[in-house]
Amino acid sequence: MSLRLDVPVLRGANVRLEPLTMGHAADLALAAEEDRSSYAFTVVPRADEVERYVATQLARDGLTPFAQIRSRDGMAVGCTAFWDPRTWPERPDLRAIEIGWTWLGASAQGTGINAEAKLLLFTYAFETLGVARVDLKTDARNQRSRRAIERLGARSEGVLRRWSPSWAPGEAGMLRDSAMFSVLADEWPTVRSALRARLGSLT
């Protein structure tokens, strides 16, 4: 469906999620040109593509994009988004949403920013939007991403063959197999506790 959510700034100790604007482009251009070796299956623009990337994200139906702002220096170090919101039949309220379009500059990886950003997004999805489930997916070949999603507490639901457009180099116009994960509303309290404990161990 075509729906952009009106989400406020979401604040954590290590990261805040701000609605993406063109004002984040300069920082994102720097973050995107750090070590790019982890981006084989991920949409991450080059520095000279960032303004077009931001414009495309802002125009995409069903996408509510955020800049990930590192708290210690106020730099935009990556992006993430709510994606593909689905409503109940004949009701306007949401039943499910996906978290995706996520990337971080190399210096922000492994710092707890990703886990805290997901905690902020999960919290908003379950406790404000009231969804029954949150989806996450990644290229089935992307073992690093699959491990990261599993560490969040999401449950694997298997692989859907030829499910999504491939973002791997040389595969433009091709479809990839997507590894699917989810967190359900009744699982959220346990996932929330585990994420908070994980983030506490990093401080």
Side-chain angles (χ1 to χ4, degrees), residues 4-85:
R4 182 175 294 269
L5 305 175
D6 183 16
V7 182
V9 175
L10 304 177
R11 300 179 184 276
N14 302 304
V15 64
R16 69 179 183 271
L17 302 181
E18 296 181 354
L20 182 66
T21 71
M22 201 60 71
H24 297 114
D27 282 358
L28 293 174
L30 293 175
E33 289 299 333
E34 295 176 0
D35 180 1
R36 294 180 61 88
S37 61
S38 65
Y39 299 153
F41 302 104
T42 306
V43 182
V44 181
R46 303 302 308 226
D48 62 356
E49 300 169 337
V50 165
E51 289 191 1
R52 184 169 71 250
Y53 170 87
V54 171
T56 299
Q57 295 290 90
L58 294 176
R60 193 180 297 272
D61 274 353
L63 187 73
T64 302
F66 304 90
Q68 302 195 70
I69 311 297
R70 186 164 51 201
S71 297
R72 66 174 174 82
D73 60 8
M75 296 290 291
V77 293
C79 293
T80 192
F82 282 132
W83 168 238
D84 191 24

Side-chain angles (χ1 to χ4, degrees), residues 91-108:
R91 285 165 47 188
D93 47 318
L94 293 180
R95 58 181 171 84
I97 200 164
E98 182 176 330
I99 296 172
W101 299 93
T102 299
W103 64 272
L104 283 170
S107 64

Side-chain angles (χ1 to χ4, degrees), residues 170-200:
E171 295 185 1
M174 299 175 64
L175 294 173
R176 73 181 195 195
D177 295 349
S178 287
M180 310 296 292
F181 298 83
S182 69
V183 177
L184 304 183
D186 57 354
E187 298 166 346
W188 166 233
T190 300
V191 170
R192 179 180 55 205
S193 295
L195 276 174
R196 286 176 175 171
R198 176 179 164 190
L199 287 166

Side-chain angles (χ1 to χ4, degrees), residues 99-178:
I99 296 172
W101 299 93
T102 299
W103 64 272
L104 283 170
S107 64
Q109 296 174 19
T111 64
I113 285 177
N114 180 63
E116 187 172 52
K118 295 302 192 296
L119 175 62
L120 294 171
L121 292 169
F122 281 139
T123 299
Y124 193 84
F126 286 118
E127 299 179 17
T128 298
L129 298 178
V131 299
R133 65 175 274 145
V134 173
D135 315 325
L136 304 98
K137 68 176 182 289
T138 189
D139 192 306
R141 298 166 294 181
N142 191 344
Q143 294 300 320
R144 176 178 177 148
S145 178
R146 292 176 70 162
R147 289 192 298 270
I149 293 171
E150 289 169 351
R151 286 197 301 271
L152 297 171
R155 181 173 300 184
S156 173
E157 296 182 328
V159 173
L160 295 182
R161 299 180 298 166
R162 303 296 186 267
W163 182 254
S164 307
S166 175
W167 304 110
E171 295 185 1
M174 299 175 64
L175 294 173
R176 73 181 195 195
D177 295 349
S178 287

